[in-house]
Amino acid sequence: MELSAIGDILVAGLLRGGLFVLMALGLSLIFGVMNIPNFAHGEFYMLGAYFAYFSRTLLGLNPVLCIIMAALGGFIAGSIIEMTAFKALRKRSKGNWVMNSFLLTVGLSILLQNLAQATLGVRFMGISHYWQGSINILPNISVSIDRFAGFVIAMATVALFYLFLHKTKTGNSIRAVSEDEDGAMLVGIKMNKVHTLTFALGALLAAIAGAALLSINPAYPTMGLAPLYKSWFVVILVGMGNVWGTVIGGFIVGIVEAFSYYNLGAGWQDVVSLMVIITILALKPSGIFGKSVRGVWDR
Amino acid sequence: MTNLQSILNKQNTLSDNKFFKLLGVSPFGVAVFIILALSPLFIDDQYVMHLLISSLMFGALAIGFDFTVGFINIVNFGYAAFMGVGAYTSALLVSRLDLSPVLAMLAGSILAAILGFLIGLLTLRLRGMFAAIMAWFFGITLMSLAANMVDLTRGHLGLNVPILFPGAGRDAYFYLILGITAVTYIVLRKIINSHIGLAFRAIGQNIEAARSSGVDSTKYRVFNFTVSCFFAGLIGGFYAFFVGVLTPAVMHTRVTVEILVLCYIGGRGSLWGGLLAAFLVIPIFEYLRPLMEIRLIIYGLLMILVMIYYPGGLAAVYAQLVDLIRDMLGMKSKSVTG
């Protein structure tokens, strides 16, 4: 393989991976704090894309504002869903929470997909570009500004999110709940608030990803499935509950996909990604950075 | 009142009858089977027959799905892919090698079982959700293989499947799927009623406790998975001949989700719940077809409501009804759950 090809693959993989990171981060956060394996995560990605599309076409906002609108929309949708569905389930749950909440998210996914389809139709709703043109990020390698901007937005969001989790009181309480729910309750952290906030933030991250990619992937009702399982790839690859490992995992999956795309053509990237994951899990069942898979899965 | 009581009593003695015990079905189940078997004599409408066949097919799939999720508590999220493996294998064997359809369907289900065994070995050492997600990845991979091996499967163009019963109407298909459903149910019920089923339940309820009492959880889980995949492959073979055109879409996650919803509306851990749900849900939704999206919105809502308010599904409703009737008649209540 030529050197320039390797450069192409790395750049494409990193740009691709940046948005997987964003998706996987939300998924991992919701699982780590609330023990919900979210099957409806892709639907928030879809919602984000629609919010951005309508902010752009109907309101004519500038691109950054579009993405902020999508983030807000995702946040609000996430909190409404958490306060209605998951709160009700938590009240009634008698054990087997992981499985029951997972099935609830399956229902949620069907519901949101078809609500979108019923109200907006199956038409692709996309925009040609946020920002026109392309830039050279390395001599010889040029990418469209949109892709690059998407990457920058993703990384900025991840950085902000890191600061939020580690430097603010609310962020600390989210981390406390993920480490020890009973202990967090004992020191007076309001569980309901933390749960709602966590779910809403996870939805927000997915919505930003959907919005940032709008010019590349137009919005349509079932667009969420591929990003969903790709973010699950990432989360399983690095090990459950490891929020920051997902950053590296996202890039790994992105590069693996770019590599298989380059060498085998479209359509094979899922097969290749899976091979990589199986090999890694066969060697280290808890994932690359996972300490132990036990416990949390059986709650 | 006394009349009803005597009927119930009679049913109890009937249930203890050796024949029914051997089959693992209740007299009620046999009655339903007989009514279904006679129904083509009274139904002329091909469309209604089509609905009955679809309901039986999805019902049988839900039975096989429940065998895993309801007992060892693992969602086989790649279930539709195993069905697709059976479908593609039997279709290809018949169209390329001129194998007889019965042998081809058997070969398809055996291949699905072997795949299930291998994937089970790889994933079922992992815990609950982890195994479900891995099975899902395998399903996605199998689907993209089916879509990409265009030389073999014709990919998204669709593979034409030879007609199984030239000249015959829907009735032949109906009896075939009725037989498959009955065999699926009886075999799985027999396994559940045996000591193996006991081990399944133990693993599903508390894997640590099961392990410490000497149950080899991986062995039983892999066995369960293999059997479930075998039947998915068998029904998949039927699906191929019934539908006539195979596309990779049969292996899509959407199909697994549909089976899963049936299974949960019916009540997990009951085996028959999914079949009942299929007979209720599929015809109703078929008549609502003009309201395509609304129908699926209802599907999603139903799933959410069942999970929050009635996790036991229809089977739990039935158990409560039976208990209620027994209470009213002053009989000793005997729980029918599980």
Side-chain angles (χ1 to χ4, degrees):
Chain A
M1 203 187 302
E2 285 174 42
L3 203 65
S4 68
I6 294 178
D8 275 343
I9 290 173
L10 281 180
V11 168
L14 286 178
L15 294 184
R16 220 178 242 260
L19 290 142
F20 292 165
V21 170
L22 216 49
M23 284 290 289
L25 201 57
L27 196 65
S28 181
L29 179 80
I30 292 175
F31 186 79
V33 176
M34 305 171 75
N35 282 313
I36 298 173
N38 192 359
F39 189 74
H41 203 56
E43 272 54 55
F44 293 109
Y45 174 90
M46 179 260 300
L47 284 181
Y50 275 120
F51 285 136
Y53 174 79
F54 287 118
S55 321
R56 185 83 179 136
T57 53
L58 291 184
L59 306 176
L61 296 177
N62 92 351
V64 175
L65 276 177
C66 285
I67 291 167
I68 291 175
M69 285 293 279
L72 271 178
F75 188 86
I76 293 167
S79 32
I80 292 173
I81 286 166
E82 205 285 331
M83 284 193 284
T84 49
F86 290 104
K87 195 167 276 178
L89 181 67
R90 203 174 303 117
K91 249 186 225 161
R92 277 158 221 276
S93 173
K94 306 183 199 92
N96 213 355
W97 162 262
V98 172
M99 191 63 86
N100 289 348
S101 62
F102 172 69
L103 292 159
L104 181 63
T105 62
V106 171
L108 198 60
S109 159
I110 304 174
L111 182 68
L112 290 176
Q113 251 178 40
N114 291 290
L115 272 177
Q117 193 163 329
T119 50
L120 305 167
V122 284
R123 198 159 64 82
F124 285 101
M125 293 181 174
I127 55 172
S128 57
H129 54 80
Y130 279 127
W131 292 279
Q132 209 158 11
S134 54
I135 47 167
N136 287 330
I137 44 173
L138 287 173
N140 297 335
I141 299 175
S142 86
V143 293
S144 69
I145 297 182
D146 276 3
R147 261 195 194 277
F148 188 69
F151 178 79
V152 172
I153 289 165
M155 289 304 103
T157 312
V158 171
L160 277 178
F161 195 62
Y162 180 87
L163 289 177
F164 168 74
L165 279 188
H166 286 83
K167 300 291 176 205
T168 66
K169 205 170 168 215
T170 325
N172 277 327
S173 61
I174 289 179
R175 286 195 302 136
V177 174
S178 83
E179 270 164 31
D180 184 348
E181 212 171 291
D182 296 333
M185 210 155 16
L186 278 179
V187 296
I189 291 172
K190 291 202 176 60
M191 296 309 271
N192 280 340
K193 209 181 110 193
V194 168
H195 282 149
T196 308
L197 186 66
T198 306
F199 198 83
L201 281 174
L204 171 139
L205 292 175
I208 291 179
L213 281 180
L214 181 63
S215 63
I216 298 149
N217 295 329
Y220 62 96
T222 54
M223 73 189 297
L225 187 64
L228 172 72
Y229 68 71
K230 277 166 192 165
S231 40
W232 272 109
F233 272 178
V234 175
V235 169
I236 296 270
L237 184 69
V238 296
M240 287 313 299
N242 187 329
V243 172
W244 300 110
T246 52
V247 176
I248 297 164
F251 288 128
I252 295 178
V253 172
I255 289 170
V256 167
E257 287 212 341
F259 179 81
S260 71
Y261 198 85
Y262 188 88
N263 286 299
L264 299 166
W268 289 98
Q269 64 269 38
D270 292 343
V271 182
V272 175
S273 301
L274 189 89
M275 297 298 176
V276 172
I277 286 174
I278 292 167
T279 319
I280 287 173
L281 285 187
L283 299 172
K284 196 163 182 302
S286 50
I288 302 180
F289 306 111
K291 286 181 213 79
S292 166
V293 211
R294 304 188 61 216
V296 83
W297 287 105
D298 278 341
R299 247 188 274 167
Chain B
M1 193 88 161
T2 42
N3 203 2
L4 229 175
Q5 195 166 7
S6 69
I7 291 172
L8 273 175
N9 274 331
K10 207 172 197 174
Q11 205 192 20
N12 268 352
T13 50
L14 258 176
S15 299
D16 294 335
N17 186 305
K18 235 182 177 171
F19 170 72
F20 292 117
K21 267 217 163 131
L22 198 71
L23 271 180
V25 278
S26 66
F28 181 68
V30 174
V32 169
F33 179 80
I34 292 171
I35 292 171
L36 272 176
L38 293 176
S39 61
L41 300 177
F42 307 105
I43 299 170
D44 282 332
D45 194 343
Q46 289 295 302
Y47 181 62
V48 176
M49 284 311 293
H50 182 93
L51 282 185
L52 278 180
I53 296 171
S54 297
S55 307
L56 274 171
M57 189 168 71
F58 275 97
L61 284 167
I63 293 173
F65 191 79
D66 192 32
F67 183 69
T68 304
V69 76
F71 296 91
I72 61 169
N73 206 4
I74 284 180
V75 180
N76 179 358
F77 232 69
Y79 193 69
F82 292 103
M83 173 191 166
V85 167
Y88 269 109
T89 313
S90 43
L92 285 172
L93 284 177
V94 170
S95 61
R96 299 274 168 101
L97 300 179
D98 261 341
L99 212 65
S100 92
V102 176
L103 279 181
M105 277 166 78
L106 209 61
S109 40
I110 289 171
L111 187 67
I114 292 172
L115 264 178
F117 174 76
L118 293 177
I119 292 171
L121 271 188
L122 262 172
T123 63
L124 292 173
R125 295 175 187 285
L126 309 168
R127 307 172 75 80
M129 272 314 296
F130 224 127
I133 302 283
M134 281 309 285
W136 182 35
F137 290 168
F138 273 106
I140 291 168
T141 311
L142 287 174
M143 185 175 103
S144 56
L145 280 179
N148 283 305
M149 298 197 299
V150 181
D151 295 339
L152 192 65
T153 63
R154 284 174 45 84
H156 290 291
L157 291 173
L159 182 72
N160 285 314
V161 188
I163 296 167
L164 195 53
F165 305 111
R170 298 247 173 242
D171 289 8
Y173 285 103
F174 175 79
Y175 284 112
L176 183 60
I177 189 65
L178 185 65
I180 290 176
T181 309
V183 169
T184 308
Y185 182 79
I186 290 169
V187 170
L188 297 184
R189 174 58 74 194
K190 291 299 283 182
I191 295 175
I192 291 301
N193 287 350
S194 72
H195 68 280
I196 302 174
L198 200 63
F200 287 165
R201 274 174 228 254
I203 292 167
Q205 273 161 18
N206 188 338
I207 189 160
E208 244 82 60
R211 270 198 194 140
S212 50
S213 0
V215 178
D216 184 346
S217 62
T218 306
K219 189 180 89 184
Y220 280 106
R221 281 167 138 190
V222 172
F223 173 71
N224 179 302
F225 212 70
T226 311
V227 173
S228 167
C229 291
F230 175 89
F231 284 105
L234 184 69
I235 301 156
F238 173 82
Y239 173 88
F241 294 115
F242 175 59
V243 173
V245 183
L246 268 185
T247 58
V250 61
M251 300 164 119
H252 200 275
T253 311
R254 199 184 306 120
V255 180
T256 308
V257 167
E258 251 171 65
I259 297 165
L260 180 148
V261 174
L262 285 180
C263 185
Y264 272 80
I265 291 176
R268 109 184 95 161
S270 66
L271 281 190
W272 53 264
L275 187 62
L276 176 66
F279 269 95
L280 292 176
V281 169
I282 289 175
I284 292 175
F285 280 8
E286 204 51 49
Y287 283 111
L288 293 179
R289 196 174 265 290
L291 310 163
M292 193 63 187
E293 285 91 16
I294 309 232
R295 164 179 98 116
L296 287 163
I297 292 171
I298 297 171
Y299 224 50
L301 261 181
L302 210 57
M303 182 75 191
I304 294 173
L305 293 178
V306 164
M307 284 326 296
I308 296 178
Y309 296 103
Y310 229 90
L314 291 173
V317 176
Y318 171 77
Q320 279 180 351
L321 270 180
V322 171
D323 276 353
L324 195 71
I325 292 172
R326 280 179 204 277
D327 276 353
M328 271 164 48
L329 301 177
M331 287 167 64
K332 220 166 67 182
S333 88
K334 173 180 149 197
S335 181
V336 206
T337 40

